[in-house]
Amino acid sequence: MQATDTTARAIAPRPVPNDARWHRPAPLKRTRASKPKVRTGCKTCKIRRVKCDETRPICQQCRKGRIVCDGYDSQLAISKTKGLLTPSSPGSAPPTRRFSADEVPFFDFFRHALTDDFAGYGCTDFWSRVVLCEVMSSNCVRHAVLAIAGLSSAISESMGSGRSRTRKPSALCPWTARNIISTKQRIALQHYVQALSLFRRQVDSKAGAQSPRAVMIMSLLLITFELLQGNMDAVDALMTTSIGLLKDSLTQHRQDVPTPKRKAIWLPKEDDVADIEHILPFLSIMGGWTPFLKTQRANLLLWDTSPQTQIPEFDPSDTRQLQTEWSRFFSRASAFTGQALITIMQTHPPTVPITLIQQQQTYLAHLDTWKSILSTALSHATTLHTKNSIRLMQLHHLTATIAMKCCLDATDTAWDLYDSDFQTLIDGVLSLAASSAPSHLSSNSKQARKYHASFTLTFGILSTLGPAIAKCRNHNIRMRALEMARRMPWREGSWDAEAELFGKLGAVLLEERGRVK
């Protein structure tokens, strides 16, 4: 009994003194927690005094209310990204970038689905190695890659079967921020705006000279995004701006115009610049032969077209080096044919300077050498992808040979002598497409129906069919080339099949009707 009383006293509540009630604390007054006012919303939401979700380029509040969004304060947008471009000291290990949970699917889509599509038949490792490595050390590249992946994923979803199918973006029907198709496109635009803003800050930075390699990579990524949108005016502007930024480092840029001396700034050596610097001149020169990049047609005069005394020595079995050297030569030869045509048409009556004839003969001799090099490389190729890459180079070689032989003819009748070569060219394209039928060429394959990107910045089929469509006057050959171009992918760099055919078919029909009369 005594133990029970002891236990009861132990668990009983402590007695309160008589005067404790006068010392009870007063009940706390409830107040609203103070938070810093958000000043980064859009201008429209600030005026309306509503909470902005800061979605870019158009916030959801304005979208739901069907109100024109006036955008964001540029200074506040820049302050949010402050510190993202702090350059690391030369030789230091680059910081590793972590992807958020929302970004991982886009990066995986880029890495697994787009790198092969973008490379096409090419053997370059620009997409599979250079870009993927740069993603981990550069915020600019990271946002650009996520933008490309988001847009490509949005295009892929929009190409589904059914009545809701959306047209592919092209020069005839581009995708713009005014007509956002899906959430993925909106996210892609957000990443693109951030990438572009960071890149501008990087270029305008007064800290010193920017790495040519970094500028090349970012320029090509931004150009790729605009090409995927079908925004050719932006592609044209980006190419011209990039060439201006890199003109001192591009070996193919004409250097005969004296430039003011600038203070030399040391930059760390970048051993792969030589392997990727030919991509931008190639895009500019090949884009100059399309009706969409008008500035690039004028930019043909910027490139050095003097033929080299000899072809550099390299191992033909190294397909990556083979493609790099061939791309440089092919770009130089294409620029020469364009400059020659401009020079001849500027004289009245058209006359051919002796220097152009001499350079033409040198180029033709080099083309004969390249024919042997490509044949040797093909005999050493072991994989189907490598063989197809070299076969495509051979098709471009045949196209370049025909164009080189006809470029000094102001009457445009020399093309009539090469109907058999055009026929060989078309047969080669058919054989190439049938031998492997990768996703970016076969419109009947399951992979093509999924539609990843169907887009490449390297060599493509359309540029080989262009002269056959525009210059060959044999009706059957020309119609076969047109039909093959119609079945080809919608985009190979700036060569947009749909838009190209829209204009060329009309010109072909008018020309043939005129000849019948």
Side-chain angles (χ1 to χ4, degrees), residues 249-307:
S249 60
L250 293 173
T251 56
Q252 195 169 338
H253 196 279
R254 191 186 297 274
Q255 303 291 341
D256 55 358
V257 179
T259 55
K261 293 183 178 180
R262 290 182 288 182
K263 184 179 179 181
I265 301 178
W266 179 86
L267 288 172
K269 184 179 179 180
E270 298 167 314
D271 54 356
D272 59 353
V273 170
D275 295 334
I276 65 176
E277 67 95 14
H278 68 279
I279 301 178
L280 183 60
F282 174 80
L283 287 175
S284 174
I285 293 169
M286 297 308 296
W289 291 101
T290 68
F292 314 118
L293 307 182
K294 299 179 181 179
T295 307
Q296 303 315 307
R297 189 173 302 177
N299 285 346
L300 285 173
L301 300 176
L302 297 177
W303 306 110
D304 181 13
T305 59
S306 56

Side-chain angles (χ1 to χ4, degrees), residues 136-310:
M136 308 310 296
S137 61
S138 171
N139 278 315
C140 279
V141 175
R142 181 170 64 90
H143 283 298
V145 164
L146 294 174
I148 292 171
L151 181 59
S152 298
S153 182
I155 296 172
S156 179
E157 289 183 353
S158 72
M159 294 308 297
S161 59
R163 296 181 179 179
S164 61
R165 182 172 56 186
T166 304
R167 241 181 123 184
K168 294 172 288 189
S170 72
L172 296 176
C173 185
W175 282 15
T176 64
R178 298 178 182 176
N179 184 22
I180 296 180
I181 305 298
S182 65
T183 303
K184 288 186 176 180
Q185 186 192 0
R186 175 178 57 80
I187 295 173
L189 288 172
Q190 291 175 2
H191 283 295
Y192 180 72
V193 169
Q194 293 184 62
L196 190 60
S197 175
L198 293 174
F199 184 52
R200 283 176 176 172
R201 289 185 60 202
Q202 195 174 30
V203 171
D204 296 338
S205 174
K206 298 181 181 179
Q210 296 300 323
S211 161
R213 179 179 181 275
V215 176
M216 287 178 194
I217 294 172
M218 270 305 300
S219 299
L220 292 173
L221 291 177
L222 296 177
I223 289 170
T224 300
F225 183 87
E226 295 294 357
L227 282 171
L228 285 171
Q229 283 200 125
N231 191 351
M232 292 302 184
D233 290 337
V235 172
D236 205 7
L238 280 170
M239 280 190 182
T240 300
T241 302
S242 301
I243 292 170
L245 291 172
L246 296 168
K247 62 181 180 181
D248 293 332
S249 60
L250 293 173
T251 56
Q252 195 169 338
H253 196 279
R254 191 186 297 274
Q255 303 291 341
D256 55 358
V257 179
T259 55
K261 293 183 178 180
R262 290 182 288 182
K263 184 179 179 181
I265 301 178
W266 179 86
L267 288 172
K269 184 179 179 180
E270 298 167 314
D271 54 356
D272 59 353
V273 170
D275 295 334
I276 65 176
E277 67 95 14
H278 68 279
I279 301 178
L280 183 60
F282 174 80
L283 287 175
S284 174
I285 293 169
M286 297 308 296
W289 291 101
T290 68
F292 314 118
L293 307 182
K294 299 179 181 179
T295 307
Q296 303 315 307
R297 189 173 302 177
N299 285 346
L300 285 173
L301 300 176
L302 297 177
W303 306 110
D304 181 13
T305 59
S306 56
Q308 297 175 316
T309 55
Q310 60 183 4

